[in-house]
Amino acid sequence: MQRSDGTGNVLLQLLEQQHACATILLDTLRREQIALTRNDIVSLETVVSAKHRHLNQLEMLSRQTEDALKSTGPRDHPDTVVEDVWRKLRQLLGECQLQNQINGGLIEQGRRRVQQALNLLTGRDIESTVYRPDGARDATSLERLYARA
């Protein structure tokens, strides 16, 4: 049930705009994955620029939605249409987060390959690399190993 002052309509419109923006963001993140997989730097630059635009727009819409929620006050009868759109938006944002994590993993793999290539080219001993419990390299431990030698 929507409020008679139209706040429910404004909230619904903002949530629908967020959903549309998040849908475009998810598509953009998927295009980013393809560009990362293909090492397509030109496409990657375009996609990353678009990703930042969509993230900024989503953030702006999110702030507007928060403001609209603050102005509605407590509701006796929840608006089931708004709740439905809100649930779909949360699910979509979860998909965006997962896709972004996948892309981050691809970037990390690429970074590791570049570091391994640099190590080979510079003659660094990559076998004595020390790792932290989280699996990342511990540069300070490496420095201590080299300092002892």
Side-chain angles (χ1 to χ4, degrees):
M1 206 176 273
Q2 294 183 2
R3 294 179 63 155
S4 59
D5 62 3
T7 321
N9 287 333
V10 171
L11 186 57
L12 180 59
Q13 288 173 357
L14 286 168
L15 289 172
E16 287 174 339
Q17 288 174 9
Q18 279 185 283
H19 190 277
C21 186
T23 300
I24 294 168
L25 177 61
L26 182 57
D27 179 60
T28 304
L29 288 166
R30 288 176 177 153
R31 288 187 295 129
E32 181 183 44
Q33 179 184 10
I34 292 167
L36 286 167
T37 303
R38 295 179 180 169
N39 286 326
D40 184 349
I41 302 302
V42 174
S43 292
L44 190 58
E45 288 176 0
T46 303
V47 169
V48 168
S49 176
K51 178 174 77 169
H52 287 288
R53 273 194 324 274
H54 300 307
L55 283 169
N56 288 336
Q57 183 181 9
L58 196 56
E59 186 176 320
M60 179 193 68
L61 289 167
S62 178
R63 284 193 302 270
Q64 290 175 352
T65 302
E66 286 177 27
D67 292 343
L69 283 169
K70 288 176 188 174
S71 70
T72 60
R75 302 178 113 181
D76 294 331
H77 303 286
D79 186 333
T80 56
V81 175
V82 169
E83 287 181 357
D84 187 47
V85 173
W86 173 247
R87 256 190 305 281
K88 289 176 182 176
L89 175 60
R90 285 182 41 209
Q91 178 183 355
L92 184 57
L93 291 174
E95 291 176 42
C96 287
Q97 184 178 20
L98 177 61
Q99 185 63 55
N100 195 52
Q101 289 173 342
I102 291 168
N103 294 355
L106 290 171
I107 291 169
E108 178 60 22
Q109 286 176 349
R111 188 200 64 76
R112 285 182 185 165
R113 284 193 302 268
V114 168
Q115 187 62 50
Q116 288 171 345
L118 285 172
N119 286 345
L120 288 172
L121 291 171
T122 59
R124 288 188 184 157
D125 182 11
I126 56 177
E127 295 299 318
S128 64
T129 301
V130 177
Y131 294 93
R132 295 190 308 243
D134 64 358
R137 279 203 191 136
D138 189 351
T140 56
S141 295
L142 282 174
E143 291 170 5
R144 279 187 248 128
L145 284 174
Y146 289 122
R148 288 185 202 160

